[in-house]
Amino acid sequence: RCEILDKMSFFRRNSGGAPKVDGKGGVAIVRNLGSTLMQLMLGEVEDCCSPEPLQTTAEHPHQQLVYDFKDQQFSFEYVSLDSNALSECDRRRLNDLRIEIVPPHKITSKSLERFLAQSLSLPLKNGRLAIIEERNYVLTPDYTIKMININERRLSGMPVVLQGETGVGKTTLVRMLSDLWLQSLLETLSGTKRGIADVLLLFIAESQGPPELIKTLQDLSDSLLTETGLLRSDQVLKACQNCNDKILQVLIENASKPAAYLLDFDRSFILKAKDRNSPHQTAALFREFCAAKPWQTFYEITLRPSMTSDEIVQSFIPAIATAKRIPSTDNQFEDEIPAVVVFLDEINTSNCLGLLKEIVVDRTLDGGPLPRNLFVIAACNPHRSSISVIRRNDSRQDWTMAEYYVKPLPPTIRC
C-alpha cells in the first residue's frame, strides 16, 4: 500500500489528477486524493492494530480498501462485511474516489479472488486464482478480509491469534493462506520453464537448422509450457547443445532466488554447471531443477494439556530447519521470501502459556529469535466460565465435564 502511494504523484501532491480509480477503466478527477487515501489508510491501520481484545465480526464489521497498480494506472476497490455500518465520513471519502460500495452478498467469488491476488501479489489465470479453483475452496468476504488482514500482519511483524469454535474453519483458512504464500515457490519454477521455452522459441525463429532439431526443440518448448508435460532427457540434452549459455543463464538466475532454496533439489548441480559450462552439466541441472518439489512449508501443532515445554520446543525444530534453508539476504528480497507457517492450534488448552506468549508475541523460542521468514499463527477456543463440575466421591476432587477445558488467555496475548 505504501509502495503504491509513494509511486503516485497525485498522492504526494495531495492534488486532483486523473488516475484510474474505479477498476473499470474509468477516469475521474479526485480532489484531495492524498489526504483522502491517507485517512482511509489510517482507519484500516486502527482496525488492524486495535488493542481491543477479541473483536468479533458481528461487533466490529471489518472493511478493506484493495489497492492495485499496473501499467502506471491506479485502481481501488472496496470490500466490507457490513457496508451499512460504514460511517458517513468514510462513505463520503469512498464516493470521492469513485469507488462503488457493493454489499457483501453481491460480491462475486471472482472479485474476491482478484482482491486476494492484488493483496498477496499473486498472478491470476483467466481472472481466477488457480489453487482456489483446484480445491473448490469456498471464498467468502469474511475469509477474504481475514486472509488480507493476516497477510498484512505478517508483513508488519504483528502477532496473529484466531479465536473461534471448533469446526468453523480456522485450520482450513490458515492452510489455504499458507498455500497461497507458497505460490511464490511454484511461480519461480514456472518462470524458469517459461524462460527456457522463450530461449528455445527464439532459437527456432532464428535458426535454419534441420527439421528434426526444430521439431525436437518445439516439442520440448510445448512440454515446458504445459504443466503436465514430461521432459525427455534426449530433448533436454539437444536443447542444451544448441542453447547452452542462454539456458544456463536462465537456470542460475532462477535458482538463485530466495524462493528456490525451498525447492527440494541438489544445489551442487549449480556449481558443476557453472564450473564446467558443458551441455551435459547444464542438462543435468535442467532436469534436476524442473523436477524439484517444494519442501513442506505448513506445520500444524495441536497443543494438549499434557504437552511439556520441551515437547513444544522440539515440535518447532522441523519448521525452523526448513526456514533456515533460505540464506540470510539483504532486505531487497524481503517480499520474495515465502513464509514457513507454524499453526499452533488450541493454545489455551496448554499449561505452557508463558512459552506460547514468548513464541507468538515476542517471536523468540527459549530466548533465541525465530527465523524472520517463519510466521506463527495461533488459534484458540472461546473460554467460558460456566463449566459443569462433578465431585468424585472416592477421591473428593472436582472434575470438569466440558468437551473442551480451556484457560483464559493472558492479557499479553489477548491484547
Side-chain angles (χ1 to χ4, degrees), residues 284-413:
L285 174 59
F286 189 155
R287 292 190 299 269
E288 180 76 9
F289 189 76
C290 290
K293 301 295 183 184
W295 288 91
Q296 178 184 351
T297 58
F298 180 80
Y299 296 84
E300 181 180 358
I301 302 173
T302 302
L303 298 164
R304 308 180 305 275
S306 60
M307 284 186 74
T308 65
S309 295
D310 287 341
E311 288 176 327
I312 295 174
V313 171
Q314 289 296 315
S315 66
F316 267 80
I317 290 178
I320 292 175
T322 301
K324 287 184 175 180
R325 291 183 61 85
I326 298 179
S328 298
T329 61
D330 297 331
N331 289 334
Q332 60 178 325
F333 294 119
E334 184 76 32
D335 292 339
E336 296 181 41
I337 297 178
V340 176
V341 178
V342 175
F343 180 55
L344 293 174
D345 199 10
E346 300 186 5
I347 61 169
N348 54 344
T349 65
S350 173
N351 291 311
C352 307
L353 286 175
L355 174 63
L356 295 175
K357 179 264 178 186
E358 178 193 354
I359 294 170
V360 176
V361 179
D362 301 334
R363 287 193 48 77
T364 60
L365 183 65
D366 262 2
L370 292 171
R372 63 188 178 91
N373 63 327
L374 187 149
F375 186 54
V376 179
I377 301 177
C380 64
N381 296 103
H383 173 260
R384 295 184 177 85
S385 57
S386 57
I387 299 178
S388 302
V389 177
I390 62 172
R391 180 173 293 277
R392 290 280 301 269
N393 293 328
D394 54 346
S395 62
R396 297 185 178 181
Q397 291 180 338
D398 290 342
W399 293 80
T400 63
M401 295 296 291
E403 186 174 353
Y404 287 97
Y405 180 56
V406 298
K407 304 172 181 61
L409 291 176
T412 48
I413 295 180

Side-chain angles (χ1 to χ4, degrees), residues 130-360:
I131 190 171
I132 298 286
E133 297 301 300
E134 291 168 4
R135 302 189 183 179
N136 295 319
Y137 187 77
V138 179
L139 193 61
T140 64
D142 180 38
Y143 276 24
T144 301
I145 289 179
K146 283 184 170 65
M147 287 185 186
I148 294 174
N149 189 283
I150 293 173
N151 181 66
E152 293 188 343
R153 283 175 170 259
R154 178 181 75 92
L155 294 173
S156 305
M158 295 178 62
V160 175
V161 180
L162 305 176
Q163 177 178 281
E165 300 286 357
T166 299
V168 299
K170 300 187 296 293
T171 304
T172 306
L173 183 146
V174 175
R175 186 183 293 274
M176 174 55 69
L177 182 56
S178 175
D179 289 341
L180 289 169
W181 286 330
L182 183 65
Q183 292 302 298
S184 59
L185 273 77
L186 304 180
E187 184 60 25
T188 296
L189 189 56
S190 299
T192 305
K193 293 181 178 180
R194 288 195 301 270
I196 295 175
D198 290 341
V199 169
L200 298 179
L201 292 174
L202 181 61
F203 178 85
I204 292 171
E206 297 176 348
S207 174
Q208 299 296 325
E212 295 80 4
L213 174 61
I214 299 301
K215 185 178 186 309
T216 297
L217 298 183
Q218 184 65 60
D219 290 345
L220 178 58
S221 176
D222 293 341
S223 297
L224 289 168
L225 296 174
T226 305
E227 294 181 5
T228 57
L230 299 177
L231 304 181
R232 288 170 40 190
S233 297
D234 59 325
Q235 292 178 340
V236 171
L237 180 58
K238 186 70 70 174
C240 293
Q241 287 172 340
N242 289 273
C243 310
N244 184 70
D245 291 344
K246 291 183 178 179
I247 290 177
L248 182 58
Q249 180 182 353
V250 171
L251 287 169
I252 292 176
E253 179 182 330
N254 285 276
S256 301
K257 292 181 178 180
Y261 283 87
L262 290 182
L263 292 174
D264 185 9
F265 76 101
D266 187 351
R267 300 191 67 84
S268 67
F269 280 88
I270 300 176
L271 296 177
K272 293 176 183 177
K274 278 183 177 180
D275 292 342
R276 301 177 188 178
N277 194 22
S278 71
H280 284 84
Q281 289 298 330
T282 302
L285 174 59
F286 189 155
R287 292 190 299 269
E288 180 76 9
F289 189 76
C290 290
K293 301 295 183 184
W295 288 91
Q296 178 184 351
T297 58
F298 180 80
Y299 296 84
E300 181 180 358
I301 302 173
T302 302
L303 298 164
R304 308 180 305 275
S306 60
M307 284 186 74
T308 65
S309 295
D310 287 341
E311 288 176 327
I312 295 174
V313 171
Q314 289 296 315
S315 66
F316 267 80
I317 290 178
I320 292 175
T322 301
K324 287 184 175 180
R325 291 183 61 85
I326 298 179
S328 298
T329 61
D330 297 331
N331 289 334
Q332 60 178 325
F333 294 119
E334 184 76 32
D335 292 339
E336 296 181 41
I337 297 178
V340 176
V341 178
V342 175
F343 180 55
L344 293 174
D345 199 10
E346 300 186 5
I347 61 169
N348 54 344
T349 65
S350 173
N351 291 311
C352 307
L353 286 175
L355 174 63
L356 295 175
K357 179 264 178 186
E358 178 193 354
I359 294 170
V360 176

